[in-house]
Structures are given as C-alpha cells and as structure tokens.
Amino acid sequence: MKERIRKYGSDILNHETYATLSTYMQHGSVSVMEHCLRVAETSLRISDWMKRHKIECHERELVRGALLHDYFLYDWHNTTLKYSLKHGFHGFTHARIALNNASRDYQLNEIEKDIILKHMFPLNLTAVPGYREAWIVTMADKYCSLMETLMMRSKHRKNRTRTQH
Ligand SMILES: [Fe+2]
Ligand SMILES: [Fe+2]
C-alpha cells in the first residue's frame, strides 16, 4: 500500500505545503495528513477488492485524489459560528477550497478533481461523484472518519475512567 502511495503521490508528498497538513488536526489527535494517508490506503484496499471481482479502477488518480481530498489548509476547529454563517459551514465548503488549493499546487486531471470536489457526498447533495474512483474515496473517507471519531471517544472514555479512580 505505502509503496503505491509513494509511487503515485511523490510530487504531493514531497511538496512543502503538503507537510503543513500534519499541523492541522482532523479528528481528535489525528492530523489531516494522517487522515488523508489512511483514506488513500483504505481506497486502495477497496480497489484491490474490486479488482478481484473484475472491476478495474485508475489507481494513480485514486491515490492522488485521496491524498488531496482534504487539502483545505486551515484548522477547521477554529472557525466561529459567525464566520460559518457568513461564509458557509466547513462540511459544505472545504471540498471546493481543497480543490482550489490543490489545483494551484499540483497538476490534476479530471478524475482527481472530481474526487476532491465530490468527496462530501451525500452531505453535499449537489456534488454527486462522477467517477468510480470518486465513489471509492467518498466511502473510504466516511469509514476512516468514523473510525477516527470512535478512537477519539474511546480515548476520552479511558481518560475519564482513569481520573475517576
Ligand atoms: Fe473532507
Ligand atoms: Fe476526509
């Protein structure tokens, strides 16, 4: 998995702006970079499973889109309600911001752009994935987000039990 991610995404992973993703938190103590790498790995797992069932997909685009799907480059925990009411809520706006940032920093094709822009489906009902690869990343993102949130909750629970004793 890791080799394929490096093979297809080396220009992204070696870019100085991509390194800043490790400074933004996604869920709990999971950084945006860790989250994106996990989504890329999970997407490859899904595509490997599909391949075994004779359903092919573009691995390069899959990896690159997954690595960049949350390339919004800000700490979304810091956005105030007032800001969100004026500019839109993170859940609805960050895919477009990520696509704008990623198009500025990397050479992207149509599939990669679609993956980034549509990954919030079905929260954003107007952005329906247009490619198989975008559907895979959308599913992988939901799965990883759920796992990260559950990990965060179980850590909280353990800490609470520890302080009670
Ligand atoms: Fe996202
Ligand atoms: Fe995500």
Side-chain angles (χ1 to χ4, degrees), residues 8-16 18-19 64 67-68 106 108:
Y8 299 125
S10 62
D11 59 320
I12 297 170
L13 296 167
N14 294 328
H15 196 283
E16 56 179 12
Y18 200 79
R64 296 171 65 78
L67 287 176
L68 292 168
Y106 312 99
L108 303 176

Side-chain angles (χ1 to χ4, degrees), residues 81-121:
L81 179 64
K82 196 175 160 195
Y83 178 91
S84 300
L85 287 171
K86 193 170 173 201
H87 300 280
F89 283 86
H90 173 76
F92 294 97
T93 57
H94 76 272
R96 166 68 63 188
I97 297 170
L99 177 60
N100 290 344
N101 292 339
S103 306
R104 178 197 62 205
D105 294 342
Y106 312 99
Q107 280 290 341
L108 303 176
N109 66 22
E110 284 313 304
I111 301 179
E112 290 156 356
K113 287 179 187 169
D114 195 77
I115 293 173
I116 301 168
L117 187 62
K118 318 271 181 74
H119 81 270
M120 287 309 287
F121 184 83

